[in-house]
Amino acid sequence: MAAALVRLLLLLALAADGPALTDAAKMKVVEEPNTFGLNNPFLPQTSRLQPKRDPSPVSGPAHLFRLSGKCFSLVESTYKYEFCPFHNVTQHEQTFRWNAYSGILGIWHEWEIANNTFSGMWMRDGDSCHSRSRQSKVELTCGKSNRLAHVSEPSTCVYALTFETPLVCHPHSLLVYPALPTALQQRWDQVEQDLADELITSQGHEKLLRALFQDAGYLKAPEESESAQEGGAQGQVFETLESCSKAHKELSKEIKRLQSVLTQHGIPYTKPAETSSSEHLGSKVPTDRTAEQLPGNPGLLGNTL
C-alpha cells in the first residue's frame, strides 16, 4: 500500500512540473546493439569472412583430395590460424575487443612446382593489405598426423605455413608426372624427347612444361600485364633452333645494311665488340640440315640476339 502511494505522488509531481519532465519520464535506455559488422563476436567466425572469389578446383595428387573439406587450426599468441586445404587460409584474433580481426590470408589458387615436384600450395587473393592482397604459401611435410604445425609472416602480407601429413611421407607422393592423366604424360614424354634431340631450347622446354601444367590445372596462366613485364625484362626467347637461326640471319643482314648506309654518307662508325662477335658466330650457326649433327647449346640459343 505504501509503495502504491509513493508511485502516485511521483506521477502527480511529474505532471505538475510540465510536459518536458513528462517526456523525460517516457525516455528509455536503448541497449547498444550487439552486432559489429564482419567482426560480430556472436556470429561464427566463418560468417564474418567475405572472400573475393571462389577457390580454384581441387587438383594435384589424388591421394591429397581427401583433405578437401577439412580444416586444421593452430593458435599462436593471440591469433588462431585455420588452413582448409583447397579452400583458404584464415586468421582470427582471439581477444574480447569489439573489433577483433578475422580475415582471409589467401584463397586456394595454384601449386608451386619445382623439379617435377609439388613443392607448395599457393593461397592468393586474400583480404586487402595496403595496396595488395594477402597471400600464403603452404608447405606440405611428412608427419605422423594431419596438423598445421607452423605459421609465420616472412614479409608484409605474405604468410608461410607448414602442414604436416602422413600423406606425403612416401618419396614419390608429391611427384608431378604420376599425377598427370595419360595424355599429358605422353605429351611430356614428347617434350623431353624434343629437348634431347635439340629441337627446342631449355627455355622452350620450360615454357612447354608450364603450358602442360596449366592444362592439367596445376598452375594458373599469368596475367597479360605480368607476361608483358616478364617478356620485357627477359628479352626474346627462341623455342627452336630454326627460329633462332632465322632471327640471327635477319639481325646480321640489318646490321650490314646500316653499316652500308653509314659508309655511303661518309659517316665514320666503330664496330662494337658484340657486332664482330656476332658476325663471327653467324658463320657457325648450324643450318636445319646440320642441327642434328652438332651438340646443342641451349644457353646460347635462349639469349637475346
Side-chain angles (χ1 to χ4, degrees), residues 68-106:
S68 179
K70 300 179 181 179
C71 295
F72 307 89
S73 60
L74 172 68
V75 176
E76 287 194 354
S77 184
T78 59
Y79 290 98
K80 177 183 178 182
Y81 299 91
E82 196 166 57
F83 167 53
C84 303
F86 305 107
H87 190 65
N88 65 16
V89 174
T90 57
Q91 181 187 43
H92 309 282
E93 187 177 2
Q94 304 293 288
T95 68
F96 292 99
R97 296 192 305 118
W98 71 271
N99 61 343
Y101 174 78
S102 285
I104 299 175
L105 304 186

Side-chain angles (χ1 to χ4, degrees), residues 8 10 30 36 52 86 103 179 213 236 245 269:
L8 179 59
L10 180 59
V30 180
F36 306 104
K52 297 179 179 178
F86 305 107
F213 297 153
Q236 188 175 4
S245 177
Y269 65 90

